Amino acid sequence: MKWLPNLSLVTLTTISAFSISTSINFAYAEQPKLIVQITVDQLRGDLLSRYQQHFSEEGFGYLINEGIYYKEAHHQHAITETVVGHTTLATGAHPSAHGMVSNLWFDKQLQQPIYNVQDKAHPLLSANAAVDTKNEIDPTQKASKVEGRSPKNIMATTFSDELTASNNGQSKVFAVSVKDRGAITLAGHTGKAFWFSKSAGEFVSSDYYFDQYPQWVTNWNKQNPISQYADTQWALTKNKDQYIFGDNNPHDWKTKLPGYGVTFPHNFGPSDNPYFSTFLTVSPIGDEMTANFAKQIIIENKLGHRQVNSSKQNSNPVTDYLSISFSSTDYVGHIFGPSSLEAEENLLRLDRTLASLFEYIDNKVGLDNTLIVLSADHGAPEAPGYLTQFGIKAEHFDLSSLETNEEIQSLKSKWNIKGDLFANAWQPYINLDHDKLAKQKVSLALASNEVAQVLNSVAGIHRAYSFDDLLNGNVPKDEITQKVQNSFYPSRSGDIYLVFEPNVFVADFDGLNVASVHGSPWRYDTHVPIIFAGFGLKPQVINRPVATVDLAPTLSAIVNINAPSSAAGYPLKEVIK
């Protein structure tokens, strides 16, 4: 392994002693003792190659150089958002089957928005840990009126569910992320999920998972680990001339978060600043906190160190599972753009975080006994201001302008609709006001079809699909439309689905105009890496196209269990052979 020569003499001595004392645990097994699934939120597929020369051999470099690296992996759905991508990676299914169609959808029966993992039946275990709607910058979380959280809205099994079912619950399953939806989706219905509450400043869970916290979680939170960052700052770790984007200029496409600034260094401010914990997550600190909590999960729950209950002397180990979703790349990309000094520095810091995590896993479990798989929930478009300086057309789209469109106004007059025709509009959906249409005896199918026809001619919109046409398959047969259909789940999809032109997107985060917003079927949003490493795998670089729905079936094949219930993908031959 390339790992050991880079460790200090002290670390080598520690590992040697640990290996001698637990030699039975480090013996190579027919299946991994631990699977660690890493999801880097908004890690676009080209970014690992862009910064590869700056990565260490122990972090991203370990995965790239020692793993099976699929460079042309793509999501095959159109709504490339966080919960959608995470659930697809967990289930091997398209949103049309797993049901998590977007971060936020409109429930037509309840007439209210639904945040994807909300569940009023399962409140949080921590006090004052609900979303602080006044200071939260994530508009989808702000829209939720429910504090509780659970995986009940996931309409398919996950790999972790199938792992639990395969051995009568002997496998331990955990997931952690800054985002609730980044942890809950991968933990599935049977695992334990933790996420970071910005309002409480600690890692939390709900009573779906525990009656009360394990003592180690209580102890962790009592230490108030975020307090150490009060009155500190996010600063560069190299000289500016060593970065691709090292100019550090206050580009006008960067989002101006009050008190955080648009150039380095970025000050976190005092701990009583209402945005203090948010600033931590819009920096490498969010990922460092997540990795540190993941290490605690490994040691406190003895992951990767248990045998199957069997009388056989050399029985295989129980395979445990840990999902770690790193969220900072997404937050930094939204605020500063994926091609910014902040995004570059954040990935270099994540490289260091991964190196520390892999060293810890090697020390506690052994990398040859651990299967690591890394991917991403989606990619990201460039900030329009970044592209236009090179003469590339790109722009933000004002979704609110559609209500006042001249042809939409003509339809309202024809149908005698007073006030707004649109009940709500959230990228990529528009929902019409059903009550007003019913009052005027206008068919919803007719109205959505005619509105879609109008929107098809609006500049910046590539195509508009009506609910009725998607339901009945009355749509073109092309790659973009297939991705839209893969995202269609009738009870949760809106009346009209919009696909914007490439490099055109809605940048409004509930009044905060951000630099970059993913969510389209275009390649910059669907392209992600997939890398399998550890567990004795031989390094390869694969350039043929593969799909993210292949990841969960591949994990299932490795441990010889059922693939998730609605999986659409197939095992990747280079990994399982």
Side-chain angles (χ1 to χ4, degrees), residues 169-235:
Q170 292 186 71
S171 292
K172 292 185 177 180
V173 173
F174 287 89
V176 61
S177 176
V178 160
K179 296 181 180 180
D180 49 15
R181 57 190 184 269
I184 290 171
T185 47
L186 274 299
H189 300 87
T190 63
K192 308 294 187 185
F194 296 96
W195 55 94
F196 182 71
S197 165
K198 297 172 191 172
S199 51
E202 61 185 43
F203 281 92
V204 304
S205 192
S206 78
D207 74 3
Y208 177 89
Y209 303 100
F210 303 96
D211 294 328
Q212 61 183 21
Y213 287 128
Q215 189 59 48
W216 68 267
V217 177
T218 301
N219 293 341
W220 174 277
N221 286 329
K222 278 185 178 179
Q223 295 172 8
N224 190 20
I226 71 170
S227 62
Q228 63 182 299
Y229 302 109
D231 297 311
T232 64
Q233 59 185 206
W234 176 19

Coordinates of all heavy atoms in Angstrom, one line a residue, residues 169-235:
G169 N -30.4 -8.1 11.1 CA -30.1 -6.9 11.8 C -28.7 -6.9 12.5 O -28.5 -6.1 13.4
Q170 N -27.8 -7.9 12.1 CA -26.5 -7.9 12.8 C -25.6 -6.7 12.3 O -24.7 -6.3 13.1 CB -25.8 -9.2 12.5 CG -26.5 -10.4 13.2 CD -25.7 -11.7 13.1 OE1 -24.7 -11.9 13.7 NE2 -26.2 -12.6 12.2
S171 N -25.8 -6.3 11.1 CA -25.0 -5.2 10.6 C -25.4 -3.9 11.3 O -26.6 -3.6 11.5 CB -25.1 -5.0 9.1 OG -24.6 -6.1 8.4
K172 N -24.4 -3.1 11.7 CA -24.7 -1.8 12.2 C -24.6 -0.8 11.1 O -23.7 -0.8 10.3 CB -23.6 -1.4 13.3 CG -23.8 -2.3 14.6 CD -22.8 -1.8 15.6 CE -23.0 -2.7 16.9 NZ -22.1 -2.2 18.0
V173 N -25.6 0.1 11.0 CA -25.8 1.1 10.0 C -25.9 2.5 10.5 O -26.8 2.7 11.3 CB -27.0 0.7 9.1 CG1 -27.2 1.8 8.1 CG2 -26.9 -0.6 8.4
F174 N -25.0 3.4 10.1 CA -25.0 4.8 10.6 C -24.8 5.7 9.4 O -24.2 5.3 8.4 CB -23.9 5.0 11.6 CG -24.1 4.4 12.9 CD1 -23.7 3.1 13.2 CD2 -24.7 5.1 13.9 CE1 -23.9 2.5 14.4 CE2 -25.0 4.5 15.2 CZ -24.6 3.2 15.4
A175 N -25.3 6.9 9.5 CA -25.1 8.0 8.5 C -24.9 9.3 9.2 O -25.6 9.6 10.2 CB -26.2 8.0 7.5
V176 N -24.1 10.2 8.7 CA -23.9 11.5 9.3 C -23.6 12.5 8.2 O -23.0 12.2 7.2 CB -22.7 11.5 10.3 CG1 -21.4 11.1 9.6 CG2 -22.6 12.8 11.0
S177 N -24.1 13.7 8.4 CA -24.0 14.8 7.5 C -24.3 16.1 8.2 O -24.9 16.1 9.2 CB -24.9 14.6 6.3 OG -24.8 15.7 5.4
V178 N -23.9 17.2 7.6 CA -24.4 18.5 8.1 C -25.8 18.6 7.8 O -26.6 19.1 8.6 CB -23.6 19.7 7.4 CG1 -24.3 21.0 7.5 CG2 -22.2 19.8 8.1
K179 N -26.3 18.1 6.6 CA -27.6 18.2 6.2 C -28.5 17.0 6.6 O -28.0 15.9 6.5 CB -27.7 18.3 4.6 CG -27.1 19.5 4.0 CD -27.3 19.5 2.5 CE -26.6 20.8 1.9 NZ -26.8 20.8 0.4
D180 N -29.7 17.3 7.1 CA -30.5 16.2 7.5 C -30.8 15.2 6.3 O -30.7 14.0 6.5 CB -31.8 16.7 8.1 CG -32.5 17.8 7.3 OD1 -32.2 17.9 6.1 OD2 -33.4 18.4 7.9
R181 N -31.1 15.8 5.2 CA -31.4 15.0 4.0 C -30.2 14.2 3.5 O -30.3 13.2 2.8 CB -32.0 15.8 2.9 CG -31.2 17.0 2.4 CD -32.1 17.9 1.5 NE -31.3 19.0 0.9 CZ -31.2 20.2 1.5 NH1 -31.8 20.5 2.6 NH2 -30.6 21.2 0.8
G182 N -29.0 14.7 3.8 CA -27.8 14.0 3.4 C -27.5 12.8 4.3 O -26.8 11.8 3.8
A183 N -28.0 12.7 5.5 CA -27.8 11.6 6.4 C -29.0 10.6 6.3 O -28.8 9.4 6.2 CB -27.6 12.1 7.8
I184 N -30.2 11.1 6.4 CA -31.4 10.3 6.5 C -31.6 9.4 5.3 O -31.9 8.2 5.5 CB -32.7 11.2 6.7 CG1 -32.6 11.8 8.1 CG2 -33.9 10.4 6.5 CD1 -33.7 12.9 8.3
T185 N -31.3 9.9 4.1 CA -31.5 9.1 2.9 C -30.6 7.9 2.9 O -31.0 6.8 2.5 CB -31.2 10.0 1.7 OG1 -30.0 10.7 1.9 CG2 -32.4 10.9 1.5
L186 N -29.3 8.0 3.3 CA -28.3 6.9 3.2 C -28.5 6.0 4.4 O -28.2 4.8 4.3 CB -26.9 7.5 3.1 CG -26.4 7.8 1.7 CD1 -26.3 6.6 0.8 CD2 -27.1 9.0 1.1
A187 N -29.0 6.5 5.5 CA -29.2 5.6 6.6 C -30.4 4.7 6.3 O -30.5 3.6 6.9 CB -29.5 6.4 7.9
G188 N -31.3 5.1 5.4 CA -32.4 4.3 5.0 C -33.4 4.2 6.1 O -33.5 5.0 7.0
H189 N -34.2 3.2 6.1 CA -35.3 3.0 7.1 C -34.8 2.2 8.3 O -35.5 2.2 9.3 CB -36.5 2.2 6.4 CG -37.1 2.8 5.2 ND1 -36.6 2.7 4.0 CD2 -38.1 3.7 5.1 CE1 -37.3 3.4 3.1 NE2 -38.3 4.0 3.8
T190 N -33.6 1.6 8.2 CA -33.2 0.7 9.3 C -32.0 1.2 10.1 O -31.6 0.7 11.1 CB -32.9 -0.7 8.7 OG1 -31.8 -0.6 7.8 CG2 -34.1 -1.3 8.1
G191 N -31.3 2.3 9.5 CA -30.1 2.7 10.2 C -30.3 3.9 11.1 O -31.4 4.2 11.5
K192 N -29.2 4.4 11.6 CA -29.2 5.6 12.6 C -28.6 6.8 11.9 O -27.5 6.7 11.3 CB -28.4 5.2 13.8 CG -28.8 3.9 14.5 CD -30.2 4.0 15.1 CE -30.5 2.7 15.9 NZ -31.9 2.7 16.4
A193 N -29.3 7.9 11.9 CA -28.9 9.1 11.2 C -28.6 10.2 12.2 O -29.4 10.4 13.1 CB -29.9 9.5 10.2
F194 N -27.6 11.0 11.9 CA -27.2 12.2 12.7 C -27.0 13.3 11.7 O -26.4 13.1 10.6 CB -26.0 12.0 13.5 CG -26.1 11.0 14.6 CD1 -25.7 9.7 14.4 CD2 -26.7 11.3 15.8 CE1 -25.8 8.7 15.4 CE2 -26.8 10.4 16.9 CZ -26.3 9.1 16.6
W195 N -27.3 14.6 12.0 CA -27.0 15.7 11.2 C -26.8 16.9 12.1 O -27.1 16.9 13.3 CB -28.2 16.0 10.2 CG -29.5 16.2 10.9 CD1 -30.1 17.3 11.2 CD2 -30.5 15.1 11.2 NE1 -31.4 17.1 11.8 CE2 -31.6 15.7 11.8 CE3 -30.4 13.7 11.1 CZ2 -32.7 15.0 12.2 CZ3 -31.5 13.0 11.5 CH2 -32.6 13.6 12.1
F196 N -26.3 18.0 11.5 CA -25.8 19.1 12.3 C -27.0 20.2 12.3 O -27.5 20.6 11.3 CB -24.6 19.8 11.7 CG -24.1 21.0 12.4 CD1 -23.5 20.8 13.7 CD2 -24.2 22.2 11.9 CE1 -23.0 21.9 14.4 CE2 -23.7 23.3 12.6 CZ -23.1 23.2 13.8
S197 N -27.4 20.5 13.5 CA -28.4 21.6 13.7 C -27.7 22.9 13.8 O -26.9 23.1 14.8 CB -29.2 21.3 14.9 OG -30.0 22.5 15.3
K198 N -27.9 23.8 12.9 CA -27.3 25.1 12.9 C -27.8 25.9 14.1 O -27.1 26.7 14.7 CB -27.5 25.9 11.6 CG -26.8 25.2 10.4 CD -27.3 25.9 9.1 CE -26.9 25.2 7.9 NZ -27.5 25.7 6.7
S199 N -29.1 25.7 14.4 CA -29.7 26.5 15.5 C -29.2 26.0 16.9 O -28.9 26.8 17.8 CB -31.2 26.4 15.5 OG -31.6 25.1 15.4
A200 N -29.0 24.7 17.1 CA -28.5 24.2 18.3 C -26.9 24.1 18.4 O -26.4 24.0 19.5 CB -29.0 22.8 18.6
G201 N -26.3 24.1 17.2 CA -24.8 24.0 17.2 C -24.3 22.7 17.6 O -23.2 22.6 18.1
E202 N -25.1 21.6 17.3 CA -24.7 20.3 17.7 C -25.2 19.2 16.7 O -26.1 19.6 15.9 CB -25.1 19.9 19.1 CG -26.6 20.0 19.3 CD -27.1 19.8 20.7 OE1 -26.4 20.4 21.6 OE2 -28.0 19.0 20.9
F203 N -24.7 18.0 16.7 CA -25.3 16.9 15.9 C -26.5 16.4 16.6 O -26.5 16.1 17.8 CB -24.2 15.9 15.7 CG -23.2 16.2 14.6 CD1 -22.0 16.9 14.9 CD2 -23.5 16.0 13.2 CE1 -21.1 17.3 13.9 CE2 -22.6 16.4 12.3 CZ -21.4 17.0 12.6
V204 N -27.6 16.2 15.8 CA -28.8 15.8 16.4 C -29.4 14.6 15.6 O -28.9 14.2 14.6 CB -29.8 17.0 16.4 CG1 -29.2 18.2 17.1 CG2 -30.2 17.4 14.9
S205 N -30.5 14.1 16.2 CA -31.3 13.1 15.5 C -32.7 13.2 16.0 O -33.1 14.1 16.8 CB -30.7 11.7 15.9 OG -31.3 10.7 15.1
S206 N -33.6 12.3 15.6 CA -35.0 12.4 16.0 C -35.4 11.1 16.7 O -34.6 10.1 16.7 CB -35.9 12.6 14.7 OG -36.1 11.3 14.0
D207 N -36.6 11.1 17.2 CA -37.0 9.9 18.0 C -37.4 8.7 17.1 O -37.8 7.7 17.5 CB -38.1 10.2 19.0 CG -39.5 10.4 18.4 OD1 -39.6 10.3 17.2 OD2 -40.4 10.8 19.2
Y208 N -37.3 8.9 15.7 CA -37.4 7.8 14.8 C -36.3 6.8 15.1 O -36.4 5.6 14.9 CB -37.4 8.3 13.4 CG -37.5 7.1 12.4 CD1 -38.7 6.6 11.9 CD2 -36.3 6.6 11.9 CE1 -38.8 5.6 11.0 CE2 -36.4 5.5 10.9 CZ -37.6 5.0 10.5 OH -37.6 4.0 9.6
Y209 N -35.1 7.4 15.4 CA -33.9 6.6 15.5 C -33.6 6.1 17.0 O -33.0 5.1 17.2 CB -32.7 7.4 15.0 CG -32.9 7.8 13.6 CD1 -33.4 9.1 13.3 CD2 -32.8 6.9 12.5 CE1 -33.6 9.5 11.9 CE2 -33.0 7.3 11.2 CZ -33.4 8.6 10.9 OH -33.6 9.0 9.6
F210 N -33.9 7.0 17.9 CA -33.5 6.7 19.3 C -34.6 7.2 20.3 O -35.3 8.2 20.0 CB -32.2 7.5 19.7 CG -31.0 7.2 18.9 CD1 -30.7 8.0 17.8 CD2 -30.2 6.1 19.2 CE1 -29.6 7.8 17.0 CE2 -29.1 5.8 18.4 CZ -28.7 6.7 17.3
D211 N -34.8 6.5 21.4 CA -35.7 7.0 22.5 C -34.9 8.2 23.2 O -35.5 9.2 23.6 CB -36.0 5.9 23.4 CG -36.9 4.9 22.8 OD1 -37.7 5.2 21.9 OD2 -36.8 3.7 23.2
Q212 N -33.6 8.0 23.3 CA -32.8 9.1 23.8 C -31.4 8.8 23.3 O -31.1 7.7 22.8 CB -32.7 9.0 25.4 CG -32.2 7.7 25.9 CD -32.2 7.7 27.5 OE1 -33.0 8.5 28.1 NE2 -31.4 6.9 28.1
Y213 N -30.6 9.9 23.3 CA -29.2 9.8 22.7 C -28.4 8.7 23.5 O -28.5 8.7 24.7 CB -28.5 11.1 22.8 CG -29.0 12.1 21.8 CD1 -29.4 13.4 22.2 CD2 -29.1 11.9 20.4 CE1 -29.8 14.4 21.3 CE2 -29.5 12.8 19.5 CZ -29.9 14.1 20.0 OH -30.3 15.0 19.1
P214 N -27.5 8.0 22.7 CA -26.5 7.2 23.4 C -25.6 8.2 24.2 O -25.5 9.4 23.8 CB -25.7 6.6 22.3 CG -26.7 6.6 21.1 CD -27.5 7.8 21.3
Q215 N -25.0 7.7 25.3 CA -24.3 8.6 26.1 C -23.1 9.3 25.4 O -22.8 10.5 25.7 CB -23.7 7.8 27.3 CG -23.1 8.7 28.4 CD -24.1 9.7 29.0 OE1 -25.2 9.4 29.3 NE2 -23.7 11.0 29.1
W216 N -22.5 8.6 24.5 CA -21.4 9.2 23.8 C -21.8 10.4 23.0 O -21.0 11.4 22.8 CB -20.6 8.2 22.9 CG -21.4 7.7 21.7 CD1 -22.2 6.5 21.7 CD2 -21.4 8.2 20.4 NE1 -22.7 6.4 20.4 CE2 -22.3 7.4 19.6 CE3 -20.9 9.4 19.8 CZ2 -22.5 7.7 18.2 CZ3 -21.1 9.6 18.5 CH2 -21.9 8.8 17.7
V217 N -23.0 10.4 22.4 CA -23.5 11.6 21.7 C -23.8 12.7 22.6 O -23.4 13.9 22.3 CB -24.8 11.2 20.9 CG1 -25.4 12.4 20.2 CG2 -24.6 10.1 19.9
T218 N -24.4 12.4 23.8 CA -24.6 13.5 24.8 C -23.3 14.1 25.2 O -23.1 15.3 25.3 CB -25.3 12.9 26.0 OG1 -26.6 12.3 25.6 CG2 -25.6 14.0 27.0
N219 N -22.3 13.3 25.4 CA -20.9 13.8 25.8 C -20.3 14.6 24.8 O -19.7 15.6 25.0 CB -20.0 12.6 26.2 CG -20.5 11.8 27.4 OD1 -21.3 12.3 28.2 ND2 -20.0 10.6 27.6
W220 N -20.5 14.2 23.5 CA -19.9 14.9 22.4 C -20.5 16.3 22.3 O -19.8 17.3 22.2 CB -20.2 14.2 21.1 CG -19.8 14.9 19.8 CD1 -20.5 15.9 19.2 CD2 -18.5 14.8 19.1 NE1 -19.8 16.3 18.1 CE2 -18.6 15.7 18.0 CE3 -17.4 14.0 19.3 CZ2 -17.5 15.8 17.1 CZ3 -16.4 14.1 18.4 CH2 -16.4 15.0 17.3
N221 N -21.8 16.4 22.4 CA -22.5 17.7 22.3 C -22.2 18.6 23.5 O -22.2 19.8 23.4 CB -24.0 17.5 22.1 CG -24.3 17.0 20.7 OD1 -23.6 17.3 19.7 ND2 -25.4 16.2 20.6
K222 N -22.0 18.0 24.7 CA -21.7 18.8 25.9 C -20.4 19.5 25.8 O -20.2 20.5 26.4 CB -21.7 17.9 27.1 CG -23.1 17.6 27.7 CD -23.0 16.8 29.0 CE -24.4 16.5 29.6 NZ -24.3 15.7 30.8
Q223 N -19.5 18.9 25.0 CA -18.2 19.6 24.8 C -18.2 20.9 24.0 O -17.3 21.6 23.9 CB -17.2 18.6 24.1 CG -16.9 17.4 25.0 CD -16.1 16.3 24.2 OE1 -15.6 16.6 23.1 NE2 -15.9 15.2 24.8
N224 N -19.4 21.1 23.3 CA -19.6 22.3 22.5 C -18.5 22.4 21.5 O -17.7 23.4 21.6 CB -19.8 23.5 23.4 CG -20.2 24.7 22.6 OD1 -20.8 24.6 21.5 ND2 -20.0 25.9 23.2
P225 N -18.2 21.5 20.6 CA -17.0 21.5 19.8 C -16.9 22.7 18.9 O -15.8 23.0 18.4 CB -17.1 20.2 19.0 CG -18.6 19.8 19.1 CD -19.1 20.3 20.4
I226 N -18.1 23.3 18.5 CA -18.0 24.5 17.6 C -17.5 25.7 18.3 O -17.1 26.7 17.6 CB -19.3 24.8 16.9 CG1 -20.3 25.4 17.9 CG2 -19.9 23.5 16.2 CD1 -21.6 25.9 17.2
S227 N -17.4 25.8 19.6 CA -17.0 27.0 20.3 C -15.6 27.3 20.0 O -15.2 28.5 20.1 CB -17.2 26.8 21.8 OG -16.4 25.7 22.3
Q228 N -14.8 26.3 19.6 CA -13.3 26.6 19.4 C -13.1 27.5 18.1 O -12.1 28.1 18.0 CB -12.6 25.3 19.2 CG -13.1 24.5 18.0 CD -12.4 23.2 17.8 OE1 -11.2 23.1 17.6 NE2 -13.2 22.1 17.9
Y229 N -14.2 27.6 17.3 CA -14.1 28.4 16.1 C -14.5 29.9 16.3 O -14.5 30.7 15.3 CB -14.9 27.8 15.0 CG -14.4 26.4 14.7 CD1 -15.2 25.3 15.0 CD2 -13.2 26.1 14.1 CE1 -14.9 24.0 14.8 CE2 -12.8 24.8 13.8 CZ -13.6 23.7 14.2 OH -13.2 22.4 13.9
A230 N -15.0 30.2 17.5 CA -15.5 31.6 17.7 C -14.3 32.6 17.5 O -13.2 32.3 18.0 CB -16.1 31.7 19.1
D231 N -14.6 33.7 16.8 CA -13.6 34.7 16.6 C -12.4 34.2 15.8 O -11.3 34.8 16.0 CB -13.2 35.4 17.9 CG -14.4 36.1 18.6 OD1 -15.1 36.8 17.9 OD2 -14.6 35.8 19.8
T232 N -12.6 33.2 15.0 CA -11.5 32.7 14.2 C -11.9 33.0 12.7 O -13.0 33.7 12.5 CB -11.2 31.3 14.4 OG1 -12.3 30.5 14.0 CG2 -10.8 31.0 15.8
Q233 N -11.2 32.5 11.8 CA -11.5 32.8 10.4 C -11.1 31.7 9.5 O -10.3 30.8 9.8 CB -10.8 34.1 9.9 CG -9.3 34.1 10.1 CD -8.6 35.4 9.8 OE1 -7.5 35.4 9.4 NE2 -9.3 36.5 9.9
W234 N -11.7 31.7 8.3 CA -11.3 30.8 7.2 C -10.2 31.5 6.4 O -10.6 32.5 5.7 CB -12.5 30.3 6.4 CG -12.2 29.5 5.2 CD1 -11.1 28.7 5.0 CD2 -13.0 29.2 4.1 NE1 -11.1 28.0 3.8 CE2 -12.3 28.3 3.2 CE3 -14.3 29.7 3.7 CZ2 -12.9 27.9 2.0 CZ3 -14.8 29.3 2.5 CH2 -14.1 28.4 1.7
A235 N -9.0 31.0 6.4 CA -7.9 31.7 5.7 C -7.3 30.7 4.7 O -7.5 29.5 4.8 CB -6.9 32.2 6.7

